[in-house]
Amino acid sequence: MNRNQEISFFLSFCIEQYKNKKGISGEDAMNILLENGIFDYLCEHYEILHTQSVQWILEEIESLIEAKSVTL
């Protein structure tokens, strides 16, 4: 598996975990992550993030979304 495939699987995993935590559809989860620039962050920091726990990743995602909403 190449790096792009690994990152794609990781992004899919994050969408699924976020969807489950929030009780929303996969499409809604993907849109929220897209609108808040989370995919860029996850890709840029893949090497570190993919080694973290699910709970930590979800907390990081929520912190980023919250921080963006405060700055708007």
Side-chain angles (χ1 to χ4, degrees), residues 4-40:
N4 287 337
Q5 289 172 317
E6 290 175 5
I7 292 172
S8 293
F9 284 127
F10 177 65
L11 294 177
S12 297
F13 171 79
C14 291
I15 292 167
E16 190 71 18
Q17 295 302 312
Y18 187 76
K19 169 190 89 127
N20 291 339
K21 180 173 184 173
K22 295 296 186 178
I24 58 178
S25 72
E27 182 178 1
D28 287 343
M30 187 176 76
N31 288 333
I32 291 168
L33 298 180
L34 267 173
E35 291 168 4
N36 288 283
I38 303 302
F39 289 132
D40 293 336

Side-chain angles (χ1 to χ4, degrees), residues 40-59:
D40 293 336
Y41 177 82
L42 294 173
C43 289
E44 184 177 334
H45 300 285
Y46 167 76
E47 291 301 324
I48 294 169
L49 294 173
H50 85 280
T51 64
Q52 302 302 314
S53 71
V54 173
Q55 179 181 352
W56 191 90
I57 293 169
L58 290 173
E59 287 174 6

